[in-house]
Amino acid sequence: MAGLINNLLILSLVFQNNCLGFRSPLSVFKRYKDATRSLSSECLGSDRPVISLGLSDFALDIRMPGVTPKQSDTYLCMSVSLPVDDEAYVVDFKPHASMDTVHHMLLFGCNEPSSTENYWDCDEGTCKDKSNILYAWARNAPPTRLPKGVGFRVGGETGGKFFVLQVHYGDISAFRDKHKDCSGVTLHLTHQKQPLIAGMYLMMSVSTVIPPGEKVVDADIACHYKRFPMHLFAYRVHTHRLGKVVSGYRVRNGQWTLIGRQSPQLPQAFYPVEHPVDVSYDDILAARCVFSGEGRTTETHIGGTANDEMCNFYIMYYMEAKHAVSYMTCTQNANPEMFRNIPQEANIPIPVKPDMLKMTHGHHEETKDTDKKSSLQLSKGEEEEILDQDFHIEEAVEWPGLDLNLGQVSGLALDHENNLVVFHRGDHVWDENSFDSKFVYQQRGLGPIEQNTIFVLNPSTAKLLHSTGKSLFYLPHGLSIDKNGNYWLTDVALHQVFKLGADSKEPLLTLGVALQPGSDKNHFCQPTDVAVDPITGSVYVSDGYCNSRIIQFSPNGLYIMQWGEETSLGRARPGQFNIPHSLALIPDFSQLCVADRENGRIQCFRLGTGEFVKEIKHKSFGRELFAVSYAPGGLLFAVNGMPYPGEAEPVQGFVMNFSTGEIIDTFIPLRKSFEMPHDVVASEDKTVFVGDVHARTVWKFASTEKLETVVEARLKNNPEPTDPLKKQEKQHLVRQASTGVSFVLITTLLIIPVVVLLAILVFIRWRKTTVYGADGEHKLDSNSSRVLGRLRGKGGGGLNLGNFFASHKGYSRKGFDRLSTEGSDQEKDEDDGTDSEEEYSAPPPPPAPSSS
């Protein structure tokens, strides 16, 4: 028996030592944190370069250590070692720089930086060994996110052990105040193995000369590709001030396929390759930069200063891991004759707005050599796509708007002060008794709504700032606000559209005939929404539940044109509607997008002509798409309807890339569930409000942008974190608690046999004491006595695993301390919140499309 107990005890101690070998994710950074660099106090986060983002992910902050360049065109470098020894993958980049101070930044990966100093002049070089460009930034470019499953491989046996940041300070007039610069980039890394490895292919001209006054100068680059297939997913162009357009192509069997084309005077981001392009063995990669020497009095050469030029075309690609090559370059023109056949688009400059050009070059960067005549107007149809960012929104749970005393919420808008304007129905309800078969309102005897139907709310606190709209409406529906702050509203009972001043009690303009449905130029039939062109003042009305058209009016209400027709049998064609329910005007691209509700899609048309541009439709929309809204910067927001019985698509919100139509994110409430989300509106900062006609409430959702929020909030010395950060920290604590639970559970299961044996021994001891008297106690095996003594602890008051394990050298109590009541409650709260969501429940099948 004693031998068995000893063996079990040894096994338990071995298990204990093995468990202690499992380190906290943060422990892998301990040696790195102990040697953190001492930087300027002006650099936020310089003392916290490594941030844990969970069990397998972390962020690495790479910043200039508070530098002040002494002369223009200074290139400064600094290095940061990878804080882990094993292989990791870079999956995200977030720049921290402004064109006011930085011309461009490059991030290299290598094994041996050129210097061990805090920072150094890049004339000394970047790396002593081979270096790979991982990232490039210039001209206020946005963050870059790699596709799912793709990452730059670093560390391990084949990846680089150091990152080297190179920052080019062009004009240093911004440093007259002697401030210290902390520009840099934050990397999001993961230990999760990525099946596809990213790389960079740089095409660069090294010998181009631009003669002074020359109107058009081409710089051509071309190389034969001699490796395993690669798949191109993003591109970036780079020149200095003389560049007009840069284009890149794959040439296969004489056919030119566009990779990407962009003006280098726009933000120099990595833009997505619009159509997938693969490159195979013996294909040709070709690029052309178009320059103009007008305004220059001397020749301009390729070089590193702001008054020199560059012609660079960067391509981000991915390859299968077993064939991956991380970096390739092309600096020659292998076949000059082939450029006679380059597509004509490569020779056409892309126009840029004057204000964009000014922002691009910076107010302090204008010199006597600057081409002052290069400012051109941006064509309305010019669309720009930014590589998908890590964008995510969640409910702002502290928003008190759920407690407002509202009627059925039908419309939302934001005024010029970013206040939320709510259009609701007070004590009136749209139900099956509201209209007859000819769409004539049947409850006129109730009179107009006696409550104020328009609420203006503080977007942060939901405090009521102003209210109006009493005794004007019968069944409110759509709401929008024009550039002058006027409200445009629709009433489906009155079959009218109203223009109302923010402070006026009487309409400034009324369209349609009260209580008379119709389909001619002077009548509407349950009009749903309004959009007003901020440039022309044209008014667009979606009409509606019983018409299938979009009508355009002049600013003073004169009929101009209309388009649209009822949906035919089979698949709905472009320009056909089945309840055009919501409008979103896209001024950046001169388009009007329509939530074609019962067709479950979004249709977009040219302003002024009604020409169909595109359809956005996803299976996850389900059968109904209720509302759509656009936020400057290229994001489209939408909400769908409840699923029909037997259908799986839940009611939820969607975030989409406007240019591609791709769904970037979906969102649902955390506190309650959507019942019938009826309208959605988004602000420039990507705050989103959703009005629910059945729940009679307004939800608020805020952007978290996970990496940015975690890193920015933690790097700043701010004791009051933002809501999204609180949630992330809460989730991290839950993960920690889960880890503790797993540890204790396994330990307990292995200890149970020991406890059972001890109980048997105690029973035998009691029996012997009963039979033999007190002297029987000494007949227990001495080894067993020692074991029992250790398990009892000093107090001898029973089994104390904490003290038992803590008695071993090197053991930390943290594994036990972390399993607190607070941690358990947090995990339970998370589960309870999830279980309480009922948005998947389906209503009974309606006999006809639901009203409201």
Side-chain angles (χ1 to χ4, degrees), residues 88-286:
Y89 300 85
V90 180
V91 295
D92 199 3
F93 305 88
K94 180 180 180 299
H96 307 282
S98 168
M99 266 297 298
D100 288 337
T101 53
V102 174
H103 182 271
H104 73 259
M105 297 188 300
L106 293 176
L107 184 69
F108 299 87
C110 63
N111 284 311
E112 189 177 3
S114 292
S115 174
T116 58
E117 299 294 325
N118 236 10
Y119 69 94
W120 66 92
D121 191 315
C122 298
D123 286 345
E124 301 175 24
T126 53
C127 298
K128 293 182 179 179
D129 61 332
K130 179 183 177 182
S131 61
N132 301 326
I133 295 179
L134 300 179
Y135 180 68
W137 174 96
R139 306 199 186 288
N140 291 328
T144 296
R145 181 65 190 261
L146 304 183
K148 187 175 181 180
V150 176
F152 283 95
R153 184 165 49 198
V154 294
E157 296 181 359
T158 59
K161 304 296 193 298
F162 283 85
F163 298 103
V164 176
L165 175 68
Q166 179 195 89
V167 179
H168 174 200
Y169 298 96
D171 189 317
I172 64 165
S173 58
F175 287 92
R176 289 170 183 154
D177 58 358
K178 306 297 183 184
H179 75 273
K180 298 183 182 299
D181 181 63
C182 312
S183 297
V185 61
T186 297
L187 309 184
H188 182 170
L189 297 99
T190 181
H191 289 291
Q192 295 180 1
K193 204 169 190 66
Q194 303 297 296
L196 303 169
I197 304 303
M200 187 81 71
Y201 193 107
L202 171 59
M203 305 185 72
M204 177 173 60
S205 173
V206 295
S207 58
T208 299
V209 177
I210 304 169
E214 192 74 24
K215 188 173 182 178
V216 178
V217 179
D218 297 332
D220 296 332
I221 316 153
C223 289
H224 286 273
Y225 183 72
K226 300 290 185 181
R227 295 182 180 271
F228 285 96
M230 64 177 177
H231 304 271
L232 316 184
F233 65 89
Y235 69 95
R236 172 182 178 266
V237 305
H238 177 69
T239 72
H240 294 171
R241 286 173 294 197
L242 302 186
K244 301 303 179 185
V245 61
V246 181
S247 308
Y249 297 88
R250 180 203 68 191
V251 184
R252 177 183 292 172
N253 299 325
Q255 296 295 315
W256 293 69
T257 300
L258 180 68
I259 299 170
R261 170 178 173 267
Q262 189 56 276
S263 167
Q265 306 308 324
L266 292 172
Q268 294 185 4
F270 276 96
Y271 293 82
V273 175
E274 185 172 356
H275 302 290
V277 177
D278 64 278
V279 179
S280 301
Y281 187 88
D282 219 25
D283 285 342
I284 298 176
L285 289 169

Side-chain angles (χ1 to χ4, degrees), residues 388-418:
D388 182 19
Q389 304 173 26
D390 186 18
F391 182 82
H392 181 64
I393 63 172
E394 292 181 353
E395 183 187 357
V397 294
E398 294 182 0
W399 160 255
L402 298 190
D403 302 324
L404 295 170
N405 184 21
L406 299 170
Q408 292 183 332
V409 178
S410 63
L412 300 176
L414 294 169
D415 65 18
H416 295 295
E417 295 179 356
N418 222 32

Side-chain angles (χ1 to χ4, degrees), residues 524-566:
F524 301 107
C525 193
Q526 297 178 344
T528 54
D529 203 6
V530 183
V532 182
D533 189 333
I535 299 175
T536 66
S538 293
V539 179
Y540 297 87
V541 178
S542 50
D543 180 39
Y545 280 90
C546 35
N547 286 327
S548 299
R549 60 180 180 173
I550 307 297
I551 311 176
Q552 179 184 352
F553 296 89
S554 69
N556 58 359
L558 296 178
Y559 174 90
I560 297 177
M561 63 171 290
Q562 69 179 48
W563 71 88
E565 60 183 28
E566 290 185 12

Side-chain angles (χ1 to χ4, degrees), residues 8 93 109 126 236 290 360 399 431 546 611 649 692 695 734 763 775-776 778 793:
L8 288 171
F93 305 88
T126 53
R236 172 182 178 266
V290 177
T360 297
W399 160 255
D431 57 25
C546 35
E611 176 190 357
E649 289 77 16
D692 194 307
V734 170
F763 176 74
D775 290 339
H778 301 291

Side-chain angles (χ1 to χ4, degrees), residues 406-619:
L406 299 170
Q408 292 183 332
V409 178
S410 63
L412 300 176
L414 294 169
D415 65 18
H416 295 295
E417 295 179 356
N418 222 32
N419 295 316
L420 176 65
V421 184
V422 180
F423 196 27
H424 72 106
R425 295 175 184 158
D427 58 2
H428 283 206
V429 175
W430 186 353
D431 57 25
E432 65 275 8
N433 300 315
S434 298
F435 296 89
D436 65 12
S437 60
K438 296 182 179 179
F439 309 106
V440 176
Y441 186 54
Q442 298 297 294
Q443 297 170 332
R444 284 171 286 181
L446 296 176
I449 301 168
E450 294 299 325
Q451 301 88 33
N452 283 322
T453 55
I454 302 170
F455 285 2
V456 182
L457 306 175
N458 181 296
S460 299
T461 65
K463 179 182 178 182
L464 181 62
L465 304 177
H466 176 64
S467 63
T468 187
K470 180 179 180 180
S471 301
L472 286 176
F473 305 100
Y474 284 77
L475 279 182
H477 198 275
L479 164 68
S480 65
I481 300 177
D482 65 24
K483 66 177 182 179
N484 298 317
N486 298 307
Y487 301 157
W488 290 82
L489 311 110
T490 70
D491 189 309
V492 291
L494 291 170
H495 304 287
Q496 287 181 302
V497 174
F498 301 93
K499 176 184 179 181
L500 190 68
D503 298 318
S504 62
K505 295 184 179 180
E506 296 296 327
L508 303 176
L509 178 68
T510 302
L511 302 176
V513 180
L515 300 169
Q516 292 185 15
S519 56
D520 58 24
K521 298 179 181 180
N522 300 315
H523 290 80
F524 301 107
C525 193
Q526 297 178 344
T528 54
D529 203 6
V530 183
V532 182
D533 189 333
I535 299 175
T536 66
S538 293
V539 179
Y540 297 87
V541 178
S542 50
D543 180 39
Y545 280 90
C546 35
N547 286 327
S548 299
R549 60 180 180 173
I550 307 297
I551 311 176
Q552 179 184 352
F553 296 89
S554 69
N556 58 359
L558 296 178
Y559 174 90
I560 297 177
M561 63 171 290
Q562 69 179 48
W563 71 88
E565 60 183 28
E566 290 185 12
T567 300
S568 56
L569 294 176
R571 177 176 172 80
R573 297 196 301 269
Q576 294 184 337
F577 300 109
N578 191 353
I579 307 182
H581 194 258
S582 169
L583 299 178
L585 197 139
I586 322 294
D588 296 351
F589 306 118
S590 296
Q591 294 182 30
L592 179 73
C593 292
V594 184
D596 187 5
R597 188 177 116 170
E598 299 301 310
N599 284 327
R601 64 179 179 175
I602 299 168
Q603 295 191 72
C604 298
F605 305 87
R606 294 287 181 196
L607 290 175
T609 67
E611 176 190 357
F612 175 80
V613 177
K614 63 182 176 182
E615 172 191 272
I616 301 174
K617 186 177 177 67
H618 297 278
K619 182 181 178 182

Side-chain angles (χ1 to χ4, degrees), residues 43-48 50-53 59 61 63 94 96 186 703-730:
C43 293
L44 292 176
S46 58
D47 60 337
R48 295 282 313 278
V50 181
I51 310 289
S52 173
L53 299 179
D61 200 43
R63 305 280 193 111
K94 180 180 180 299
H96 307 282
T186 297
S703 167
T704 59
E705 296 195 12
K706 299 172 185 175
L707 176 63
E708 179 175 358
T709 303
V710 171
V711 173
E712 293 277 345
R714 292 192 183 183
L715 293 183
K716 292 178 181 177
N717 247 339
N718 189 349
E720 296 293 335
T722 61
D723 291 345
L725 180 57
K726 286 181 180 178
K727 186 176 190 308
Q728 289 183 350
E729 290 179 340
K730 180 178 179 180

Side-chain angles (χ1 to χ4, degrees), residues 203-209 218-221 289 291 302-303 309-313 330-332:
M203 305 185 72
M204 177 173 60
S205 173
V206 295
S207 58
T208 299
V209 177
D218 297 332
D220 296 332
I221 316 153
C289 300
F291 297 98
I302 298 295
E309 266 304 336
M310 286 186 172
C311 170
N312 295 356
F313 187 77
C330 171
T331 59
Q332 60 179 322

